[in-house]
Amino acid sequence: MSFKSLKEIVDCANKEKKPFWRVILEEDMSERMVSEEESFGTMKGMYDTMRMADASYDEKLKSASGLVGGDGKKMKEAVEAGKTMAGDFIGDVMVKALKMGESNACMKRIVAAPTAGACGVLPAVLITYEQFYKIPEAKMLEGMYIAAGVGQVIAERACIAGAQGGCQAEIGSASCMAAAAITYIRG
C-alpha cells in the first residue's frame, strides 16, 4: 500500500465517499492487480491462519531452549478459575496471545502481524472479540483492512521492526493495529 498517513486515507475516503476500509481494500487491489474477491480471499486466508494457529495450540510443546511452552494453558486455567484481575475478555486475549507467542517460539505456525515478535497481539484481540461478541466474519475482515492500513502508515512513518525500533516498535504497532480494527468493528 502506498499511503503515507492516516489523513491521506481519511481524505480519500471522504472525497470518494467510501468507508476507510474500502479505500485500503481498493489500494490493495490496485497494487497487487487483483479483484475484490481475490483481495478478500487473501485477507480471509490470513484471518483463517490466525484462527488455525490458535486452535492448533499444543500445550505440551516446548521451545528448543526449554524456556517457552505451557504458559497458554496455565493462563487459561487461571482465567477459568477466576484468578485473574482483568476479567474474562482480557484474560482470554492474554491466553490467545501467549498461545501465539509460544507457537512462534516452538517453530509452529508463525502469525507475523505485523512481525513475529508481536505475533500474538492482533490475532488474540480479533479472535477473542469475534468469539465474545459473535461478530460476522465479513465485519472482522473489514477490521483486518483497517489494521493493515494503519500498519502500513506506521511502517512508512516510523518502524515496526524490533531490530530497528526495539520491542516497543513491534508490540506498539501491533497494539495500534488491533485498537484501530476493534474501534472500527465496534462502530
Side-chain angles (χ1 to χ4, degrees):
M1 283 180 255
S2 62
F3 295 111
K4 308 234 184 304
S5 71
L6 295 177
K7 182 180 182 326
E8 184 180 348
I9 302 170
V10 170
D11 288 348
C12 185
N14 290 337
K15 178 181 172 194
E16 297 180 20
K17 298 186 180 354
K18 295 178 180 174
F20 190 97
W21 68 268
R22 178 156 283 285
V23 171
I24 297 162
L25 162 73
E26 290 177 2
E27 179 66 21
D28 176 58
M29 291 166 47
S30 173
E31 184 177 287
R32 295 190 309 119
M33 296 182 286
V34 297
S35 68
E36 184 170 323
E37 293 77 25
E38 290 171 308
S39 180
F40 264 109
T42 298
M43 193 63 79
K44 182 181 179 338
M46 286 187 240
Y47 194 54
D48 287 344
T49 298
M50 291 177 184
R51 290 189 283 209
M52 182 197 66
D54 176 61
S56 66
Y57 171 72
D58 182 354
E59 64 194 40
K60 295 178 187 90
L61 206 57
K62 294 281 187 199
S63 65
S65 69
L67 296 173
V68 177
D71 290 331
K73 178 184 182 223
K74 290 176 192 173
M75 187 68 195
K76 183 173 173 45
E77 290 168 351
V79 170
E80 289 172 350
K83 294 182 178 180
T84 62
M85 294 173 34
D88 290 344
F89 179 78
I90 296 298
D92 240 21
V93 168
M94 290 189 290
V95 168
K96 287 179 182 2
L98 284 167
K99 288 165 57 176
M100 294 287 172
E102 287 178 20
S103 292
N104 174 16
C106 295
M107 303 307 289
K108 286 190 68 182
R109 178 65 110 176
I110 298 171
V111 180
T115 63
C119 65
V121 177
L122 189 62
V125 171
L126 294 182
I127 294 166
T128 304
Y129 197 83
E130 178 187 31
Q131 291 171 346
F132 260 70
Y133 297 103
K134 311 295 184 235
I135 305 298
E137 181 179 71
K139 190 74 165 180
M140 297 305 297
L141 295 178
E142 290 171 6
M144 289 272 292
Y145 280 101
I146 300 286
V150 168
Q152 170 59 36
V153 170
I154 294 169
E156 184 69 33
R157 297 178 69 105
C159 67
I160 60 172
Q164 184 180 8
C167 295
Q168 305 88 322
E170 291 183 298
I171 294 298
S173 58
S175 297
C176 183
M177 291 166 65
I182 293 301
T183 298
Y184 165 75
I185 292 165
R186 288 182 59 96

